[in-house]
Amino acid sequence: MISRGLRTLFEKEVLRFMRVAGQTLLSPLITTALYFIVFGYSIGGRLHDIQGVPYSRFLVPGLITLGVISNAFLNTASSLFMMKMQGTLIDLLVTPLSYAEVLAGFLGAAVVRALLVGALTWLVAAIFTGFAVAHPLLLLLDLLLISIAFGAMGLCVAIWADKFEQVNFVPTFVITPLTFLGGVFTSVSMLPTALRRLTLANPIFYLVDSVRFAMLGIADSRPEIGLLLLGVLCAASLALALQLLRSGYKLRG
Amino acid sequence: MEAVLTIRGLTKRYGSTVALDHVDLDVQRGEIFALLGPNGAGKTTLINIVAGLTRPTSGSARVLGHDVIDDYRFTRRAVGLVPQEINFDPFFTVSEALRFQAGYFGVRLTEDRLAEILQALDLWTKRDAGSRTLSGGMKRRLLIGKALVHAPQVLFLDEPTAGVDVEMRQSLWRYVRTLQARGTSIVLTTHYLEEAEELAERIAIVDHGKLLLTERKEDLLRRYSEKTLTISLTARLVTLPESLRTIGAQLAANGLSLSITAPPGEDLGRALAAVAAAGVAVRDVETHRARLEDIFVSLLHQGAAA
């Protein structure tokens, strides 16, 4: 049963990002829509189909994955870090909420925001490229696991960080480069050998590829690799986040 | 009496700094207990350990018989904390902040209870205002409200009236007494010694992480405070009578008043009798008793010298 404490934390976290929906929902939607319009709809028309799929349509799963990853990460990272900076984290630390409840409350809101951004991105793109989804349940599972994994990572980074700069370090220097080089805009078959090797060593590539398989039914790798990797990523980031909360690292003196 | 808070051998070290050094302390049900000490004495560390914000290096703290680490879900339900530092969440209104805080504790805040807290803290008219728009004193009162939403049995007030005006401070004191009357135990740290003198039944003095003493306020005042009798005279006195000199009386330079100090534990009856026997014409009599502030300073000096 979901306790009132967990429900309260979840509701408060959802209300927090809804209060600034322009920044948390509209802004990422516009960014990904611009990617789609420029790279997919404008330039895409001049590119060949990939595995029988028009480029503009090929691009959509990668952009959705990009939005889901960034927003899940940013929701937990910015919320917890702001609580640390404002001193309102005390309000949470003195409560009887268990460590798992705290984690679940933050992650629940991160999943809602990430899936909302993903769904809105998909809606905008689908108007131009069609609404068909090859494997809807697999798509939902993929995006759910991605948002949980990156939401948990955001929480870990917020616990560790002492400055805003450190919170931004991971999305700027890790997540964005890995995502851009992770097959969001290209199929590995289009890449030169060196870059192809690099892409195949990039874990984000398998996540994007799994989402692409779920949406379009085409993939560069075996789709179960992405799902397996997601399972491992989820378990590892959840375990780390829970351990950090339990240990009180940088939270309790 | 039943102890609601039992602290034994509580120690907290930050590297080579000892913030708390083997502190033993009991707080009884329904009492107001003041924890006094200079900045950095260890008061907040002690409170934070009980509230779950700080982990002790060794020793134990138990609330209603439950360990604050092993049984934290129980003890945190029983404890309310008003932290020293003002904090507020700019995203939410006063009412939302209180409802969320209650919800974390598994409590649904009824309209009646919300109104009671807001009115007691003089925040009723601000219930729909954003926390960011409140004045400093109001933000501090909101902190008190957040600590009360789950009706804690032990309430920690860490410098609760810093930055609060005199009128509001009096009103808060009244509310603290109301809470006490309902059976809440209150542990108070304050820089305003008059606050401790006004409210507390027992007082502990902490310095450099050590507990210097724990006493009932009256005993402390009686045991440590000197009383001074100042007598205004109807006519100038040129020479102090020998009988008064022997009991330590001092004549003012203008010869119009004399003062006699009784050491701690002694009353002024002997001095008054000696004045009457000496036949000195008295116009007025004034007594002064050392306040907690004087005792506090003197004890800290003794501690530093030891």
Side-chain angles (χ1 to χ4, degrees):
Chain A
M1 202 185 94
I2 295 173
S3 70
R4 182 184 290 276
L6 166 56
R7 212 166 57 231
T8 303
L9 179 58
F10 168 73
E11 284 169 7
K12 183 218 134 198
E13 283 299 301
V14 170
L15 190 61
R16 189 194 68 82
F17 79 70
M18 291 303 281
R19 287 265 155 97
V20 281
Q23 181 193 329
T24 54
L25 297 179
L26 199 60
S27 166
L29 178 66
I30 288 173
T31 308
T32 41
L34 282 173
Y35 278 130
F36 172 73
I37 289 165
V38 174
F39 292 107
Y41 203 61
S42 308
I43 303 172
R46 296 163 188 245
L47 297 172
H48 295 297
D49 287 1
I50 298 167
Q51 297 180 44
V53 174
Y55 183 71
S56 60
R57 194 160 148 70
F58 174 86
L59 197 57
V60 178
L63 291 178
I64 289 176
T65 312
L66 179 66
V68 168
I69 287 177
S70 316
N71 284 279
F73 182 92
L74 283 174
N75 203 66
T76 48
S78 61
S79 182
L80 187 76
F81 189 74
M82 275 169 63
M83 287 175 83
K84 262 171 77 169
M85 291 297 105
Q86 288 164 352
T88 48
L89 189 61
I90 284 184
D91 295 346
L92 202 58
L93 295 178
V94 298
T95 68
L97 285 168
S98 71
Y99 306 112
E101 283 173 326
V102 171
L103 181 59
F106 276 105
L107 286 183
V111 167
V112 170
R113 173 171 158 186
L115 293 188
L116 269 174
V117 170
L120 289 171
T121 308
W122 174 71
L123 269 176
V124 171
I127 294 167
F128 298 96
T129 62
F131 287 83
V133 173
H135 308 287
L137 282 180
L138 178 64
L139 177 64
L140 199 63
L141 180 66
D142 271 343
L143 296 181
L144 188 70
L145 291 177
I146 289 172
S147 32
I148 290 174
F150 284 88
M153 282 182 219
L155 205 72
C156 296
V157 169
I159 291 172
W160 161 78
D162 298 314
K163 294 182 281 189
F164 259 119
E165 193 187 10
Q166 292 171 320
V167 176
N168 286 329
F169 179 87
V170 176
T172 308
F173 295 103
V174 182
I175 293 179
T176 306
L178 283 181
T179 312
F180 273 61
L181 299 172
V184 170
F185 298 100
T186 52
S187 161
V188 280
S189 60
M190 297 160 75
L191 298 172
T193 315
L195 205 52
R196 184 182 304 166
R197 282 190 188 137
L198 211 62
T199 302
L200 290 173
N202 175 357
I204 304 261
F205 160 74
Y206 297 96
L207 310 189
V208 172
D209 206 44
S210 183
V211 173
R212 187 167 284 135
F213 174 77
M215 287 192 80
L216 309 177
I218 60 163
D220 281 331
S221 65
R222 288 169 58 193
E224 56 269 29
I225 296 177
L227 208 54
L228 186 72
L229 192 68
L230 258 177
V232 173
L233 215 56
C234 254
S237 57
L238 283 175
L240 179 63
L242 201 58
Q243 181 50 32
L244 288 177
L245 288 171
R246 192 174 280 138
S247 69
Y249 171 72
K250 290 201 175 182
L251 297 178
R252 296 178 203 271
Chain B
M1 270 181 111
E2 183 198 355
V4 288
L5 175 62
T6 312
I7 286 172
R8 293 290 175 267
L10 200 62
T11 301
K12 177 66 185 179
R13 288 195 194 89
Y14 295 99
S16 59
T17 307
V18 183
L20 271 186
D21 194 358
H22 295 90
V23 169
D24 293 336
L25 191 69
D26 289 306
V27 174
Q28 309 300 329
R29 183 179 289 281
E31 77 170 331
I32 300 180
F33 188 94
L35 211 50
L36 303 181
N39 287 334
K43 308 182 296 288
T44 299
T45 304
L46 188 149
I47 285 180
N48 284 352
I49 289 174
V50 180
L53 296 175
T54 300
R55 305 245 162 113
T57 306
S58 62
S60 71
R62 302 177 81 81
V63 176
L64 298 164
H66 296 258
D67 188 88
V68 296
I69 292 170
D70 297 339
D71 208 356
Y72 73 92
R73 299 193 75 169
F74 176 91
T75 61
R76 289 186 200 163
R77 276 194 190 93
V79 167
L81 170 69
V82 180
Q84 198 175 123
E85 299 289 332
I86 288 181
N87 71 56
F88 65 95
D89 196 325
F91 286 96
F92 304 114
T93 65
V94 169
S95 296
E96 284 169 344
L98 293 174
R99 282 187 203 286
F100 287 138
Q101 196 62 27
Y104 293 156
F105 284 88
V107 173
R108 195 180 76 82
L109 200 59
T110 63
E111 284 301 320
D112 287 351
R113 176 82 176 129
L114 177 67
E116 183 206 316
I117 292 172
L118 288 172
Q119 278 161 0
L121 299 170
D122 203 17
L123 286 172
W124 177 247
T125 56
K126 294 287 178 183
R127 60 192 180 279
D128 297 321
S131 304
R132 187 203 294 270
T133 65
L134 301 180
S135 69
M138 288 173 185
K139 285 181 184 133
R140 191 166 286 284
R141 280 180 268 150
L142 178 58
L143 290 185
I144 298 175
K146 285 198 283 188
L148 290 173
V149 284
H150 60 294
Q153 296 185 60
V154 188
L155 180 65
F156 288 96
L157 300 165
D158 199 357
E159 303 286 347
T161 52
V164 173
D165 63 45
V166 177
E167 196 182 340
M168 194 58 223
R169 193 179 301 167
Q170 296 282 350
S171 142
L172 277 175
W173 290 357
R174 278 196 297 278
Y175 192 55
V176 164
R177 286 200 194 89
T178 308
L179 292 171
Q180 182 199 21
R182 290 180 193 165
T184 309
S185 311
I186 290 143
V187 178
L188 172 83
T189 78
T190 179
H191 275 106
Y192 300 109
L193 294 177
E194 62 183 79
E195 192 160 71
E197 196 163 343
E198 171 80 22
L199 285 175
E201 287 148 356
R202 284 200 305 144
I203 287 171
I205 295 182
V206 188
D207 191 27
H208 292 101
K210 284 184 190 294
L211 194 68
L212 299 183
L213 65 82
T214 310
E215 288 226 26
R216 290 192 59 76
K217 180 180 66 189
E218 287 77 15
D219 294 344
L220 188 65
L221 288 167
R222 195 177 306 121
R223 200 149 69 85
Y224 288 92
S225 74
E226 294 176 335
K227 278 171 285 186
T228 304
L229 180 71
T230 306
I231 296 165
S232 305
L233 307 171
T234 51
R236 189 185 302 275
L237 199 64
V238 181
T239 321
L240 193 64
E242 188 54 32
S243 59
L244 295 181
R245 193 186 302 279
T246 54
I247 61 166
Q250 291 193 320
L251 185 64
N254 62 9
L256 285 171
S257 71
L258 55 91
S259 60
I260 306 165
T261 299
E266 259 186 44
D267 57 36
L268 288 163
R270 200 164 70 96
L272 278 169
V275 170
V280 176
V282 175
R283 187 163 61 84
D284 199 5
V285 175
E286 230 178 87
T287 57
H288 168 78
R289 182 175 185 156
R291 302 201 64 186
L292 191 55
E293 191 160 328
D294 308 320
I295 300 167
F296 177 69
V297 171
S298 128
L299 276 168
L300 289 185
H301 283 156
Q302 281 175 30

